[in-house]
Amino acid sequence: MNGRYRAGWFMWSLLWGELRAAAGPRRLLCRSAAFLSSGDAVSPGPACGAPPGHMERAVVRCVPSEPKMSLWFVLCDGSAKHMQRDQTEPLGRALARIATNAGKGHAKAAKKSKKARAEAGPAGEPVATAPLAVRLFSRDGESVAEDVSNAEAWQDGAVLQIGEVKYQVERNPPSVTELHLPRSLLAGFPVCPKIHTEFGAPQHCLFRWYREQPGGGGDEPSPGGTVWVEAPVRDRVFTPTNAHIGLRLKLQCTPGNSQQRYGLPREVESSGPVEAGPGACTFDSRHLYTKKVSGEGLIRTVSYNVLADIYAQTEHSRTVLYPYCAPYALELDYRQNLLKKELAGYSADLICLQEVDKSVFADSLAPALDAFGLEGLFRIKEKQHEGLATFYRRDKFTLLSEHDIAFNEALVSDPLHKELRDKLAPYPLAQENVLQRSSVLQVSVLQSRNDPSRKICIANTHLYWHPKGGNIRLIQIALALSHIRHVACDLYPGIPVIFCGDFNSTPSTGMYSFINSGNIAEDHEDWVSNGEEERCNMSLTHPFKLQSACGEPAYTNYVGGFHGCLDYIFIDINALEVEQVIPLPSHEEVTTHQALPSVSHPSDHIALICDLKWK
């Protein structure tokens, strides 16, 4: 069984459980009814207490790239059947197998019936019954020939008839393959479920939220005895209030697609109750400026180092870097609640994040921001568990292409950087230091949905962190700008650039001067930032007119032992201008709990936010 087929089988095996669950109420209807064979003298009509015109569901999963198809249906005795058949197999063999399975159910029902026991012979054996007739009819009502392949025969809208019972065939209906709620739920913070679907999309699903009812007396008891009360919310995202503190939540998701076709619902309950939130957060006042998505022609842009969990959860972090921060506020689940609320509240069109854990992107940020209309792209660092993430608003932009690079690989192998390689060759120690770094550059080209003539190059990076690494950062930024020039000048001539990131450089550094001025002299002091042994003097230039959209704040990083401006949103001033900069939190807000991160702020950095406008 190959990987894709195994994954598909596993996802759809979940539907097996859903059908079994759906069979429960029908089992009650069928308890007193013998399963009817084609030889029984009965009047035509619905079987087992079903209403007139009612047909059961026969769900078929048939994907061209896989050798097997799967078929699920529920017999009248309440037993759910799951079959896998070769797609190339003749229909007749599949129908014969269905007849065998259905016949076993019929025999069990007959054996239990009083009539069967009364008619039993001296040995107590029930009277033999005629085999069930099993046929498949096309949507037009024509019987499908038994030599037709399964893949061709089992079409959507066909009708499977087993004895007197008819089943509507649903081929590849939308299904929920993964549904999870966050482990940590806080009052006042959005709950964003992780949802994966097949043959559907989360934005087309239907949602119903429930809260636990203390002491019983609610709308819907669960098999475990918990009573649930439906909340007046039908959105994908639910924000619990203080009234929900101490109560668990439940979500029912009905998968759907763009054609308003719906599959079987699936439910998930939270593992724990809603807990009290932290109260006021550093970003609350900023949200007053970003309540609505920016208007046409504007691009609200965010750059933010979100503090990777692999760095926040070390002993060094707890005791040396952030000893002032309450331990629970460094926990990933807690910080993710704050981060998702913060990012969602900015109503951004573009978000560039640094230090994003791979699992955080897949399990938390991507599902959460998808619910708010943002599509996410991720680039991991080599040999690391964190990387860069770029999100863009789906109804404003489409993705044309991605051009990510690792600086060390590009320096060695990309012909674009031959000139820089040659300049660096006389300095082997500095060159080796550059090659040892895992920093990457994420480059995405987007196109405006409203005006397809407008394309834009979005770059995102996180440069080397060491305080004495100014020379390394100069080489990295030279590589980045050379690569961006290739994308924005050669591949898409003349498109503007937005370059976001944690550059680990204050405004007084050579890196910042190089980006702003377009050149760096070979005698700049940063070329000897790590001592004479790693000196690597060279002059560099780049063709862009870039400027920091948010100016030079006093700090974007504020920890116990350091504060300074390290993060920037650089924009191409030939094509873009700043409409507004969202004010940073006040110094009082930042230092309420001494420094960052804190119980009211999820990172040691502060997000930069600005509204940009096309010139």
Side-chain angles (χ1 to χ4, degrees):
M1 187 183 290
N2 63 47
R4 289 187 61 190
Y5 175 58
R6 188 186 299 111
W9 181 89
F10 172 75
M11 292 176 184
W12 271 65
S13 66
L14 296 170
L15 185 59
W16 169 244
E18 292 165 5
L19 279 168
R20 290 183 67 89
R26 296 182 61 253
R27 192 174 283 123
L28 296 177
L29 291 173
C30 296
R31 242 175 219 166
S32 60
F35 195 77
L36 302 176
S37 76
S38 58
D40 292 325
V42 295
S43 58
C48 296
H54 171 79
M55 272 198 279
E56 301 298 338
R57 310 174 80 168
V59 180
V60 172
R61 181 182 184 274
C62 187
V63 179
S65 61
E66 298 177 6
K68 300 276 189 181
M69 60 158 267
S70 298
L71 171 66
W72 290 265
F73 57 92
V74 179
L75 292 175
C76 190
D77 67 348
S79 61
K81 299 299 179 183
H82 170 211
M83 300 172 58
Q84 290 198 28
R85 312 298 297 180
D86 288 335
Q87 292 197 28
T88 57
E89 174 189 63
L91 171 65
R93 292 180 62 184
L95 295 182
R97 185 62 180 171
I98 292 172
T100 299
N101 287 341
K104 291 178 181 178
H106 174 212
K108 287 180 181 179
K111 191 173 183 179
K112 292 179 180 179
S113 70
K114 292 181 180 180
K115 181 179 179 182
R117 287 198 299 271
E119 294 178 354
E125 295 296 327
V127 176
T129 56
L132 289 170
V134 179
R135 300 177 68 185
L136 183 68
F137 297 90
S138 69
R139 187 181 303 182
D140 300 328
E142 299 292 329
S143 180
V144 181
E146 294 192 354
D147 59 351
V148 174
S149 70
N150 280 327
E152 184 180 349
W154 296 92
Q155 296 296 322
D156 195 54
V159 174
L160 170 66
Q161 184 166 352
I162 304 175
E164 297 297 322
V165 183
K166 294 182 179 180
Y167 297 80
Q168 183 88 37
V169 172
E170 299 182 22
R171 178 168 170 143
N172 298 342
S175 66
V176 177
T177 57
E178 187 174 4
L179 184 64
H180 297 291
L181 292 177
R183 285 181 297 180
S184 173
L185 309 176
L186 297 181
F189 290 74
V191 178
C192 308
K194 180 183 180 183
I195 304 168
H196 285 170
T197 62
E198 188 175 36
F199 311 121
Q203 59 265 36
H204 300 303
C205 296
L206 304 177
F207 301 94
R208 298 176 72 176
W209 290 89
Y210 299 83
R211 63 169 174 80
E212 197 174 26
Q213 174 65 41
D219 298 339
E220 179 184 322
S222 71
T226 303
V227 177
W228 299 95
V229 176
E230 185 169 0
V233 175
R234 295 295 177 94
D235 298 325
R236 180 172 167 185
V237 176
F238 176 70
T239 302
T241 67
N242 287 339
H244 297 107
I245 293 175
L247 305 177
R248 292 188 303 132
L249 301 179
K250 182 175 79 169
L251 170 64
Q252 182 189 85
C253 173
T254 302
N257 61 21
S258 58
Q259 286 77 46
Q260 293 188 320
R261 184 184 181 194
Y262 298 98
L264 292 173
R266 188 170 168 190
E267 294 183 348
V268 63
E269 298 175 10
S270 64
S271 59
V274 176
E275 298 177 334
C281 291
T282 54
F283 46 80
D284 290 341
S285 59
R286 308 185 83 188
H287 285 172
L288 298 176
Y289 297 88
T290 59
K291 289 182 177 180
K292 297 180 180 179
V293 176
S294 62
E296 186 57 43
L298 296 177
I299 307 170
R300 180 165 300 147
T301 304
V302 174
S303 184
Y304 196 5
N305 180 324
V306 297
L307 180 56
D309 183 56
I310 59 171
Y311 306 139
Q313 289 292 340
T314 65
E315 186 66 21
H316 182 70
S317 296
R318 288 189 290 267
T319 59
V320 179
L321 295 180
Y322 319 121
Y324 48 83
C325 184
Y328 74 87
L330 287 174
E331 295 287 337
L332 177 62
D333 290 341
Y334 181 89
R335 292 197 301 119
Q336 283 302 300
N337 271 299
L338 271 63
L339 184 60
K340 287 183 283 189
K341 180 176 183 178
E342 178 178 8
L343 292 176
Y346 291 146
S347 307
D349 302 312
L350 297 173
I351 300 178
C352 291
L353 304 179
Q354 304 85 43
E355 286 195 25
V356 180
D357 298 273
K358 182 179 179 180
S359 60
V360 167
F361 176 84
D363 298 333
S364 180
L365 290 181
L369 293 179
D370 180 76
F372 291 97
L374 295 159
E375 192 75 28
L377 309 168
F378 183 71
R379 169 64 194 228
I380 198 166
K381 292 180 181 178
E382 183 183 3
K383 300 177 182 178
Q384 300 285 334
H385 296 285
E386 56 94 0
L388 306 171
T390 296
F391 293 86
Y392 62 91
R393 186 162 294 282
R394 276 191 299 265
D395 60 6
K396 277 197 173 184
F397 295 103
T398 57
L399 176 68
L400 293 183
S401 56
E402 297 177 70
H403 307 271
D404 305 345
I405 61 168
F407 291 131
N408 52 6
E409 294 175 1
L411 179 62
V412 170
S413 60
D414 195 329
L416 282 174
H417 310 302
K418 182 181 183 304
E419 182 180 352
L420 182 58
R421 262 198 314 272
D422 292 343
K423 288 183 176 182
L424 193 57
Y427 310 104
L429 287 178
Q431 183 180 51
E432 181 61 23
N433 207 345
V434 173
L435 296 179
Q436 288 176 354
R437 307 281 75 81
S438 60
S439 305
V440 294
L441 173 72
Q442 187 179 35
V443 179
S444 313
V445 178
L446 304 178
Q447 182 178 47
S448 168
R449 285 190 179 274
N450 187 61
D451 184 355
S453 67
R454 286 179 168 174
K455 302 177 181 69
I456 193 161
C457 176
I458 310 301
N460 182 18
T461 197
H462 186 187
L463 300 186
Y464 181 45
W465 64 272
H466 200 282
K468 294 184 178 181
N471 59 338
I472 305 304
R473 286 187 285 275
L474 278 171
I475 300 299
Q476 289 181 335
I477 202 64
L479 287 163
L481 291 169
S482 176
H483 184 71
I484 294 169
R485 184 206 61 77
H486 172 62
V487 175
C489 299
D490 299 338
L491 301 181
Y492 297 90
I495 67 171
V497 172
I498 298 177
F499 192 4
C500 300
D502 176 356
F503 295 85
N504 273 312
S505 305
T506 63
S508 63
T509 60
M511 197 287 320
Y512 185 83
S513 174
F514 179 40
I515 289 185
N516 267 337
S517 66
N519 63 80
I520 186 80
E522 63 179 326
D523 60 351
H524 194 282
E525 62 181 1
D526 277 7
W527 290 123
V528 289
S529 61
N530 201 29
E532 286 292 331
E533 287 188 352
E534 286 195 23
R535 173 188 290 273
C536 51
N537 298 82
M538 64 185 78
S539 60
L540 299 171
T541 62
H542 71 78
F544 299 108
K545 298 291 185 183
L546 298 175
Q547 189 176 86
S548 173
C550 298
E552 301 172 4
Y555 51 78
T556 61
N557 175 231
Y558 200 104
V559 295
F562 170 83
H563 62 271
C565 181
L566 304 178
D567 306 85
Y568 306 94
I569 299 174
F570 292 108
I571 63 170
D572 185 344
I573 60 175
N574 288 330
L576 300 168
E577 58 185 344
V578 179
E579 177 75 5
Q580 72 164 337
V581 176
I582 306 305
L584 272 67
S586 68
H587 186 68
E588 181 183 7
E589 290 172 316
V590 171
T591 58
T592 297
H593 302 281
Q594 188 175 337
L596 305 178
S598 71
V599 296
S600 62
H601 192 87
S603 176
D604 55 348
H605 287 249
I606 300 170
L608 295 175
I609 313 150
C610 61
D611 288 354
L612 305 175
K613 182 169 62 175
W614 299 84
K615 281 188 175 179

